[in-house]
């Protein structure tokens, strides 16, 4: 307790930050000033002040992101339908879904909100879909009507996509739903982008999303090798334990080397090179499948916790703060002209 009080009043740290970044560990407390916790607010300011780029829409619209990826020939998850909440008739625009598992997500919500998984099976000769919690069991038209009602309730379009399946070496680490890699890249002015941090996100329990804020595991990953470190669950009780294994299944996580690692990093770097945006820091979500990586989405507010909490490597020790400060100076200089 005395240590916590000393850090809070002596170093000006928030007590939650103290426990989130486990600054009671000897290996971390000497670097406490390098951990970033509020830079997301500066990124929001930056997004407001910088001139809008032609591709800025990909950060807030999943349909625009997929279209942008296809334009550049970048691998991206396909889509089956877009459910329009403005169509009053539930039969309007009905498209029969292929007989496969489906993932449904709002096109412009973040942090895994609103994602649902629908597992497909055959009832006689007809496909039916059951939601991930084993509640509803619907045929194609009933599912379409249900999703349209959901879109109306959420007041935003819903994107229907095929369910992706991870490479077997990654799939066994979680609950069977999709794990993704967060690759954080930065680009300083006219320089080429570089990778500064990576992490693996693993869904837990009945959750279809692997989001760190919704109970998923975050795993530090060595950007050079793709080797997994220990995992942490942000929603647990403090002090958060560093986990060698999945606490639900016992499967070992620490020491696993992610497949297709170089291709995963190259995909994120290529995407950052292609994007026409003044925003210098991007978090790319990438799914590693059996035949290689595919892009899921791009985040202009990538968050600090997922890459710092599990690995213990502070973003302040990377080019992140330098790139952010330079971009802020440019943004305010341009707006004052």
């Amino acid at each position: 307790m005395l240590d916590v009080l000393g850090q809070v009043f002596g170093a000006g740290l928030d007590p939650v930050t103290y426990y989130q970044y486990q600054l009671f560990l000897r290996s971390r407390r000497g670097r406490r000033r390098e951990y970033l916790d509020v830079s997301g607010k500066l990124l929001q300011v930056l997004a407001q002040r910088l001139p809008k780029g032609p591709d800025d829409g990909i950060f807030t619209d999943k349909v625009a992101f997929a279209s942008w990826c296809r334009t550049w020939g970048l691998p991206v998850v396909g889509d089956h339908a877009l459910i329009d909440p403005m169509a009053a008739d539930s039969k309007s625009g009905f498209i029969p879904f292929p007989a496969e598992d489906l993932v449904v997500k709002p096109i412009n919500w973040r942090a895994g909100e609103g994602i649902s998984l629908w597992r497909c099976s055959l009832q006689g000769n007809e496909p039916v879909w059951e939601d991930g919690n084993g509640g509803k069991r619907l045929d194609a038209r009933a599912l379409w009507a249900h999703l349209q009602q959901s879109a109306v309730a959420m007041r935003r379009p819903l994107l229907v996509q095929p369910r992706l399946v991870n490479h077997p070496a990654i799939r066994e680490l979680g609950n069977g739903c999709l794990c993704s890699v967060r690759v954080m890249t930065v680009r300083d002015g006219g320089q080429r982008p570089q990778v500064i941090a990576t992490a693996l996100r693993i869904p837990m329990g009945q959750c279809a999303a692997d989001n760190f804020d919704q109970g998923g595991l975050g795993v530090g990953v060595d950007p050079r090798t793709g080797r997994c470190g220990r995992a942490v669950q942000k929603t647990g009780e403090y002090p958060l334990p560093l986990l060698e294994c999945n606490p639900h299944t016992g499967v070992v996580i620490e020491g696993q080397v992610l497949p297709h690692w170089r291709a995963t990093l190259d995909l994120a770097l290529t995407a950052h090179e292609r994007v026409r945006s003044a925003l210098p820091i991007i978090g790319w979500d990438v799914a590693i499948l059996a035949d290689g990586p595919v892009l899921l989405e791009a985040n202009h507010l990538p968050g600090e916790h997922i890459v710092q909490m599990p690995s213990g490597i502070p973003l302040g020790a990377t080019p992140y703060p330098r790139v952010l400060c330079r971009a802020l100076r440019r943004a305010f200089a341009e707006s004052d002209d």
Side-chain angles (χ1 to χ4, degrees):
M1 180 58 72
L2 290 177
D3 184 49
V4 176
L5 294 175
Q7 297 296 322
V8 171
F9 294 106
L13 286 175
D14 182 274
V16 175
T17 300
Y18 174 85
Y19 281 112
Q20 282 181 332
Y21 295 135
Q22 309 206 30
L23 299 181
F24 49 82
L25 297 176
R26 183 173 299 177
S27 60
R28 297 191 182 189
R29 60 182 304 162
R31 310 181 72 180
R32 63 185 182 273
R33 297 187 185 278
E34 295 181 310
Y35 288 93
L36 305 184
D37 202 49
V38 294
S39 67
K41 296 178 181 179
L42 296 177
L43 289 176
Q44 291 178 337
V45 171
L46 193 62
Q48 295 171 355
R49 302 281 299 204
L50 282 174
K52 300 301 180 186
D55 294 333
D56 280 1
I58 71 170
F59 301 121
T60 55
D61 187 328
K62 293 177 175 61
V63 174
F65 176 74
S67 176
W68 175 82
C69 288
R70 286 190 284 268
T71 296
W72 286 107
L74 301 172
V76 66
V77 59
D79 50 78
H80 293 317
L82 185 66
I83 309 293
D84 183 4
M86 302 303 293
D89 182 359
S90 65
K91 298 181 180 179
S92 175
F94 169 72
I95 300 173
F97 300 120
E100 63 181 7
D101 293 351
L102 303 173
V103 170
V104 181
K105 59 183 69 173
I107 69 166
N108 57 359
W109 272 3
R110 301 178 67 248
E113 290 186 270
I115 293 180
S116 59
L117 170 65
W118 294 84
R119 302 181 188 275
C120 182
S121 61
L122 290 178
Q123 185 171 294
N125 295 323
E126 296 298 321
V128 293
W129 287 267
E130 186 174 336
D131 69 14
N133 294 322
K136 298 179 176 64
R137 188 174 175 85
L138 307 172
D139 64 18
R141 287 192 176 276
L143 178 58
W144 183 275
H146 171 77
L147 294 179
Q148 195 157 54
Q149 292 170 5
S150 298
V152 170
M154 294 181 184
R155 299 181 179 180
R156 63 199 67 237
L158 295 178
L159 189 61
V160 183
Q161 299 178 322
R163 176 194 179 193
L164 299 182
V165 178
N166 285 121
H167 187 287
I170 299 175
R171 185 168 67 247
E172 68 175 5
L173 300 179
N175 63 2
C177 295
L178 192 68
C179 303
S180 66
V181 174
R182 168 64 58 84
V183 182
M184 189 178 290
T185 59
V186 299
R187 180 167 56 185
D188 192 3
Q191 299 180 16
R192 300 191 68 178
Q194 59 180 306
V195 175
I196 61 167
T198 52
L200 176 66
R201 305 188 304 181
I202 299 176
M204 296 288 285
Q206 298 298 314
C207 190
D210 59 6
N211 190 268
F212 196 41
D213 291 327
Q214 294 190 20
L217 290 178
V219 182
V221 180
D222 187 333
R224 299 166 299 175
T225 64
R227 184 182 184 276
C228 292
R230 287 180 289 179
V232 69
Q233 195 167 17
K234 183 179 178 181
T235 57
E237 293 185 5
Y238 293 117
L240 301 170
L242 290 171
L243 307 167
E244 298 177 0
C245 305
N246 185 315
H248 290 183
T249 66
V251 173
V252 175
I253 296 172
E254 185 179 18
Q256 298 289 339
V257 177
L258 300 183
H260 303 299
W261 186 244
R262 186 66 251 174
T264 297
L265 300 186
D266 288 344
L267 178 56
L269 289 169
T270 299
H272 201 150
E273 286 181 342
R274 298 286 186 268
V275 70
R276 296 171 297 171
S277 173
L279 298 171
I281 300 169
I282 302 175
W284 304 93
D285 290 340
V286 184
I288 302 177
L289 312 184
D291 56 354
V294 299
L295 288 167
L296 299 176
E297 60 182 59
N299 303 272
H300 67 300
L301 303 172
E304 305 134 327
H305 292 163
I306 183 61
V307 294
Q308 294 183 119
M309 286 177 61
S311 71
I313 300 174
L315 281 173
T318 75
Y320 183 106
R322 183 187 73 244
V323 171
L324 177 57
C325 288
R326 287 181 179 176
L328 285 166
R329 284 196 293 267
R330 287 196 301 269
F332 280 87
E334 291 175 1
S335 63
D336 290 341
D337 290 343

